[in-house]
Amino acid sequence: MTADLSQLVKAYDVRGVVPDQWDEPLAELFGAAFVQVTGADAIVIGHDMRPSSPGLSRAFARGAAARGVDVTEIGLCSTDQLYYASGALGLPGAMFTASHNPARYNGIKMCRAGAAPVGQDTGLSEIRRLAETWLDSGAAPASDATPGTITRRETLDDYAAYLRSLVDLTSIRPLKVVVDAGNGMGGHTVPTVFSGLPLELVPMYFELDGTFPNHEANPLDPANIVDLQKRVREEGADLGLAFDGDADRCFVVDERGEPVSPSAITALVAARELDRNGGGTVIHNLITSWSVPEVVREHGGTPVRTRVGHSFIKAEMASSGAIFGGEHSAHYYFRDFWNADTGMLAALHVLAALGGQDGPLSGLVAEYDRYVGSGEINSTVDDQAARLAAVRAAYESREGVVLDELDGLTVTLEDTWFNVRPSNTEPLLRLNAEARDEATMARVRDEVLKIIRA
């Protein structure tokens, strides 16, 4: 294996093909580098159900323990269960997962104590530099420290109890809920979290299988929720939930099998958290719906708009003391969960809101889904800057236009807005558009795409 760490170490995590791009000896170097950069004397490690995850996780543990650090292994877990362990135990953590990527991939999501993120600007670039240096020399330098211990600890029951302590579901009306775990870690966490609640659970693809035999574990791709939509209708269920591979994201479909926009879920959860806290700050990225800041203000809160990307959301959560944050990608962040993202807690809020009234989910979320969105549309371009400049030139002189460049280019007019932003890793421009009605959205979407793809 010839490792190119510039390809392997991304903006927020490590991710690549095993064993072509990385393997257990490199995972061991990452473990040693992680503890050196964090200065930890103890860490916690978890992993998902991918075939390569247990070996990579154990190699990382060996690398850490060899430098005198005590390692707590929590074994199979969701990413938010690892964040729970990092927060509850006060330890830096590492989660072995490649989220929704295909089976041959694996990765590491790392955090400092209290689930604080480790990204390029907060330690990941230094971890990469150390690992590269040691890889070139063949090994990490010997340590004088007494090797640390590696012990096993179960956290699933404590994780489930903690989530249930944040949302009271004991008095809701009985609900029938279909859950598609996509053969990912939702199949591990959902039965325990839902146990004893007034929920009739209809499980789909709960068998842990990192080869993903039924469909990719990425619920944002419409093709991957078709089975869930069909089953919700067949069962006459109240709603459906779909989790991604590491179960940190949750996607919702209503009783008709129709997808519920993550912006609507963000607004619904924001309203509940604001009502519970008597106000507060709510973070949303710049491509969530107009509905989100409107609902936040209506419930006495202060909306704060950020760039796209979980590192920006988490940083703003910490600096502003926000109670909640949401993204268009179905990542939901909670102050009461160490500012980390947990799709499971968002799902519990949806179940509590639905079960606390008599109407269907479609009626409940209509209050929070006020506009028509395009969804994210990707276009391959030769020159991102030139196409962005062309879009700007086409709109900057229009009456009443507001332009901003917080992340790419956002153009706001009276009855519509759109954002065009470049991908950091591919020659793509990503378009998101929203309007007050379908016809206006379609017109603006097609107009902007024509410029981008000219």
Side-chain angles (χ1 to χ4, degrees):
M1 184 203 75
T2 304
D4 179 357
L5 270 60
S6 67
Q7 297 296 312
L8 186 63
V9 180
K10 311 295 187 184
Y12 316 121
D13 59 13
V14 172
R15 199 172 300 194
V17 177
V18 178
D20 302 18
Q21 292 180 287
W22 71 301
D23 56 13
E24 291 180 18
L26 184 51
E28 195 165 326
L29 295 184
F30 278 128
F34 176 66
V35 300
Q36 182 155 323
V37 170
T38 58
D41 53 19
I43 64 171
V44 59
I45 304 176
H47 65 80
D48 71 9
M49 67 293 139
R50 290 167 185 270
S52 61
S53 289
L56 291 169
S57 169
R58 178 48 66 106
F60 188 97
R62 286 196 303 270
R67 306 193 79 73
V69 170
D70 292 330
V71 178
T72 298
E73 292 184 319
I74 64 170
L76 280 168
C77 65
S78 62
T79 290
D80 66 322
Q81 188 184 335
L82 185 278
Y83 291 152
Y84 163 78
S86 172
L89 301 176
L91 297 177
M95 173 68 187
F96 282 76
T97 180
S99 186
H100 61 278
N101 285 124
R104 66 187 187 278
Y105 284 80
N106 215 322
I108 322 172
K109 295 181 178 180
M110 291 174 260
C111 60
R112 294 178 185 269
V118 171
Q120 282 293 337
D121 300 331
T122 50
L124 193 53
S125 60
E126 180 65 8
I127 291 168
R128 169 189 158 182
R129 188 192 66 76
L130 285 172
E132 279 178 328
T133 301
W134 297 339
L135 191 62
D136 289 342
S137 62
S143 171
D144 295 333
T146 302
T149 60
I150 300 177
T151 57
R152 186 62 180 255
R153 179 172 181 147
E154 295 300 328
T155 59
L156 180 58
D157 288 342
D158 292 342
Y159 156 83
Y162 182 72
L163 290 179
R164 291 198 300 254
S165 76
L166 299 176
V167 182
D168 183 10
L169 289 154
T170 55
S171 58
I172 64 168
R173 64 184 170 93
L175 297 173
K176 188 175 190 178
V177 53
V178 182
V179 177
D180 182 347
N183 299 108
M185 293 312 303
H188 174 72
T189 56
V190 167
T192 301
V193 175
F194 283 13
S195 177
L197 298 174
L199 303 170
E200 180 185 346
L201 173 62
V202 180
M204 294 181 67
Y205 313 141
F206 270 39
E207 306 77 23
L208 301 183
D209 188 338
T211 68
F212 306 112
N214 293 291
H215 60 72
E216 283 190 354
N218 179 15
L220 277 186
D221 182 342
N224 296 326
I225 62 164
V226 171
D227 293 356
L228 175 64
Q229 293 172 294
K230 180 171 179 275
R231 190 71 177 271
V232 166
R233 290 189 288 261
E234 288 174 351
E235 294 280 348
D238 293 290
L239 77 164
L241 303 173
F243 290 91
D244 68 346
D246 60 336
D248 61 348
R249 286 188 298 152
C250 181
F251 196 83
V252 181
V253 303
D254 68 20
E255 78 288 350
R256 306 165 302 172
E258 293 297 318
V260 179
S261 150
S263 285
I265 300 299
T266 296
L268 182 154
V269 178
R272 288 176 50 84
E273 287 286 73
L274 288 165
D275 292 348
R276 185 169 72 89
N277 286 280
T281 298
V282 171
I283 311 298
H284 65 99
N285 72 27
L286 53 75
I287 54 176
T288 51
S289 170
W290 265 338
S291 303
V292 174
E294 286 179 3
V295 168
V296 169
R297 291 188 186 99
E298 288 164 10
H299 286 260
T302 303
V304 173
R305 180 172 171 269
T306 74
R307 294 177 61 185
V308 175
H310 79 259
S311 64
F312 303 113
I313 294 255
K314 285 182 176 177
E316 194 63 49
M317 290 279 293
S319 66
S320 67
I323 59 173
F324 174 65
E327 290 193 276
H328 71 296
S329 55
H331 280 287
Y332 305 105
Y333 307 80
F334 294 83
R335 183 179 66 191
D336 291 342
F337 200 77
W338 301 279
N339 294 328
D341 45 320
T342 164
M344 187 69 78
L345 185 51
L348 294 181
H349 273 286
V350 172
L351 291 165
L354 177 60
Q357 49 88 69
D358 294 328
L361 184 59
S362 58
L364 176 65
V365 299
E367 177 186 348
Y368 306 106
D369 200 6
R370 303 171 179 181
Y371 303 97
V372 179
S374 66
E376 191 153 275
I377 304 168
N378 291 321
S379 303
T380 302
V381 297
D382 292 331
D383 188 332
Q384 293 172 323
R387 300 325 308 154
L388 266 176
V391 174
R392 184 185 184 100
Y395 284 90
E396 62 187 352
S397 60
R398 298 198 185 187
E399 185 177 348
V401 70
V402 177
L403 305 178
D404 84 62
E405 294 177 316
L406 175 63
D407 193 349
L409 175 68
T410 302
V411 176
T412 304
L413 296 157
E414 182 183 2
D415 56 354
T416 185
W417 66 266
F418 67 85
N419 171 270
V420 182
R421 71 187 206 285
S423 165
N424 292 322
T425 56
E426 300 171 275
L428 300 177
L429 285 178
R430 308 189 191 280
L431 169 67
N432 286 267
E434 186 176 66
R436 299 185 191 279
D437 59 76
E438 179 77 37
T440 303
M441 186 280 294
R443 174 179 58 76
V444 171
R445 176 198 65 203
D446 295 346
E447 191 177 80
V448 179
L449 285 176
K450 189 174 180 180
I451 299 168
I452 290 172
R453 295 172 177 176

